Amino acid sequence: MQQIIFFFIRNKNFLLFVLLFSASVALTLQTHSYHSNKLVNSANFLSGGVYSFKSSITEYFDLKEQNQLLINENNRLRQLLEVQKEIGSVTYLDSLDTSFPFHFVPAKVINNSYFKTKNKLTINKGRTDSLDIDMGVITSLGVVGIVDDVSANYATVQSILNTNSQINAKLKKSEHFGTLEWNTKTPNMVSLTYIPRIAKVSVGDTVSTGGKSTIFPEDILIGAVAQFTLNEGDDYYDITVELFNDMTNLKHVYVIENTNSEEIQLLENGGDDDAE
Amino acid sequence: MQNNEIVVNTVRFIAVVLFQILLFNHINFLGYINPYVYIVFILVFPLTSSKSLLILLSFILGLTIDMFGDSGGIHAAACVFIGYIRPAVLKFSFGVSYEYNTIKISKANFGQQFTYVGLMVVLHHLVLFSLEIFSTEHILLVLKSTLFSGIFSTILILCTILLFSKKS
């Protein structure tokens, strides 16, 4: 205790100076808003730095929730986007308007395979979520496949990497359409057939869905042309398409319901008017 | 005598403050240069008095000027700094002898006088303008103001010391 008092007595001038100087500076900072602003700014720089470091660690704890929120928002926006493509303006059309045929349901992939010749995925939505067979399945990057079988709460999807899979696709720039099939060689390359020789093809051209089937709406991305050949005697190109999707790590997908599909198919099959 | 000293210093204090706020703050030479002559109080404060008293009095002096100028605490801070650093500057300009002999500043060698006054003024103005501008980008402005105001203040302070020393 005595040491402290001695310390104070020995340095009384310095301490007095420090005290009064701090008082004056504090008074200055308080009086001028520019000064106090600068002080607050530099304090913010320090506190901001510490807080952003802390939040970069704690944000890992609610990733799951954030992901779900983002998926829901994506779904909503995708719906709006499809509507806008159809109509050209979203100001008056409610995205849940039943006159618009495509509805999107988000789902998660719980099982996947990509190394067999007939690959299937399992998703965690089923009949209770209004899924049905022959619905298209896509991700934000591109096409995944078509729903194969549906149970109450789950569904299996026939992946694009399946020898049975035949998806209507077109060259985005020229609207020439053909069929997408898989040659079982690699999980990220599929072949586009039936593109006639008068079409102009170059490497890097985008391939998207053609819209000529009731399963996928038009202009959903699939991939880009990786290479193509046209032999002299052929009527059609031999195009290899590299998928935008990485089929090996699929997680969040959207299932597309086309409310007009039944009607269109009935019409195309020329069947009797068996309205139910 | 103690009493006499207190009276003299009180009168000096009041006179210096009044002159500063009524006269010198409104000169605005070239638009922005003001001499700060009030620090002559700190400069000629009796050399043998206690340092703590000096620091305290400089704070009050600066604060008074601040109150009249609405400038927050910049003069107070600058004056406190000057008050604290005065012994060191005295030792530098007059040599160690100032502690033992009562050197009257007005009777001293002009070179020493000029060093003492000039140094104190520059230090005071530096702290003052740095606090006023409070930004490292405008350091040139700080230096410029310090220089010009410093020159002006130094000249005026030297004249003041000269003026008030012939009496005794």
Side-chain angles (χ1 to χ4, degrees), chain B residues 83-152:
Chain B
Y84 179 68
I85 220 97
R86 192 178 86 144
V89 180
L90 279 172
K91 200 184 326 188
F92 174 73
S93 36
F94 294 113
V96 197
S97 59
Y98 92 98
E99 284 210 48
Y100 304 106
N101 304 350
T102 320
I103 291 207
K104 279 214 79 114
I105 297 183
S106 40
K107 301 261 191 293
N109 179 6
F110 180 71
Q112 287 176 327
Q113 265 188 358
F114 184 72
T115 319
Y116 173 58
V117 171
L119 210 55
M120 292 284 267
V121 161
V122 165
L123 286 171
H124 175 268
H125 286 28
L126 256 179
V127 175
L128 185 74
F129 287 115
S130 316
L131 273 180
E132 182 178 346
I133 290 170
F134 210 67
S135 123
T136 42
E137 303 158 347
H138 302 112
I139 188 98
L140 275 177
L141 182 64
V142 172
L143 290 172
K144 188 173 75 151
S145 313
T146 309
L147 188 69
F148 291 140
S149 300
I151 294 173
F152 203 178

Side-chain angles (χ1 to χ4, degrees), chain B residues 9 12 26 35 39 41 47 49 52 55 70 73 82-83 101 122 133 144 148 150 156 160 165:
Chain B
N9 280 320
R12 254 192 219 152
H26 305 288
I39 56 178
F41 180 77
L47 300 166
S49 59
S52 320
I55 296 178
D70 282 329
I82 283 286
N101 304 350
V122 165
I133 290 170
K144 188 173 75 151
F148 291 140
L156 282 178
T160 315
S165 68

Side-chain angles (χ1 to χ4, degrees), chain A:
Chain A
M1 194 61 200
Q2 246 186 352
Q3 297 282 34
I4 299 180
I5 299 186
F6 277 156
F7 172 74
F8 276 128
I9 293 179
R10 264 181 296 141
N11 300 52
K12 62 173 163 32
N13 283 333
F14 180 63
L15 291 174
L16 185 65
F17 163 63
V18 167
L19 178 75
L20 292 175
F21 195 71
S22 329
S24 329
V25 173
L27 188 62
T28 313
L29 289 176
Q30 201 189 10
T31 314
H32 300 286
S33 60
Y34 173 73
H35 293 51
S36 57
N37 204 21
K38 272 208 108 175
L39 179 72
V40 169
N41 269 345
S42 31
N44 271 349
F45 175 68
L46 181 68
S47 64
V50 173
Y51 279 132
S52 60
F53 178 69
K54 169 198 163 232
S55 74
S56 73
I57 296 177
T58 54
E59 69 187 3
Y60 282 108
F61 295 127
D62 59 347
L63 272 179
K64 187 165 164 183
E65 202 179 294
Q66 293 299 324
N67 265 340
Q68 192 57 41
L69 285 171
L70 284 170
I71 282 292
N72 290 343
E73 184 181 353
N74 264 341
N75 198 39
R76 191 181 65 81
L77 289 171
R78 193 167 278 281
Q79 194 89 39
L80 275 176
L81 191 64
E82 289 294 323
V83 171
Q84 187 174 36
K85 271 201 268 184
E86 272 277 315
I87 308 294
S89 130
V90 287
T91 51
Y92 63 91
L93 195 66
D94 181 7
S95 61
L96 297 175
D97 191 340
T98 50
S99 70
F100 184 72
F102 289 108
H103 292 196
F104 293 84
V105 179
K108 262 203 286 200
V109 173
I110 54 180
N111 197 4
N112 192 3
S113 71
Y114 45 87
F115 42 80
K116 303 190 235 182
T117 51
K118 298 189 193 323
N119 291 303
K120 278 203 210 291
L121 320 119
T122 317
I123 59 177
N124 67 346
K125 293 268 164 78
R127 193 157 286 124
T128 50
D129 306 286
S130 72
L131 258 58
D132 207 350
I133 359 180
D134 280 347
M135 286 193 181
V137 180
I138 62 171
T139 66
S140 49
L141 289 174
V143 165
V144 167
I146 302 177
V147 173
D148 199 25
D149 200 358
V150 181
S151 69
N153 292 310
Y154 298 99
T156 55
V157 177
Q158 179 179 286
S159 158
I160 207 177
L161 304 177
N162 190 316
T163 48
N164 290 340
S165 190
Q166 290 185 316
I167 297 180
N168 176 263
K170 68 173 188 192
L171 288 169
K172 195 167 170 138
K173 68 177 186 190
S174 61
E175 303 273 330
H176 283 106
F177 59 91
T179 312
L180 217 59
E181 290 168 340
W182 190 43
N183 55 12
T184 74
K185 291 219 187 78
T186 49
N188 64 335
M189 304 279 211
V190 295
S191 37
L192 181 59
T193 53
Y194 294 119
I195 301 283
R197 68 182 301 135
I198 63 170
K200 295 217 181 334
V201 181
S202 35
V203 172
D205 279 351
T206 313
V207 174
S208 59
T209 53
K212 307 260 180 311
S213 78
T214 55
I215 300 177
F216 292 104
E218 203 181 345
D219 284 329
I220 305 273
L221 293 174
I222 297 177
V225 173
Q227 51 143 214
F228 64 95
T229 50
L230 181 65
N231 297 325
E232 273 307 313
D234 287 348
D235 287 329
Y236 300 113
Y237 279 96
D238 213 339
I239 304 179
T240 318
V241 178
E242 184 177 357
L243 296 172
F244 288 137
N245 249 334
D246 185 357
M247 300 299 285
T248 60
N249 69 353
L250 297 172
K251 183 81 179 161
H252 294 288
V253 297
Y254 303 95
V255 182
I256 308 176
E257 179 192 346
N258 185 351
T259 48
N260 290 340
S261 62
E262 202 178 301
E263 183 187 341
I264 296 177
Q265 271 166 356
L266 269 174
L267 182 66
E268 283 173 353
N269 294 339
D272 310 311
D273 264 6
D274 233 15
E276 286 192 280

Side-chain angles (χ1 to χ4, degrees), chain B residues 1-10:
Chain B
M1 262 185 294
Q2 278 292 68
N3 248 356
N4 194 15
E5 259 192 32
I6 296 178
V7 172
V8 165
N9 280 320
T10 319

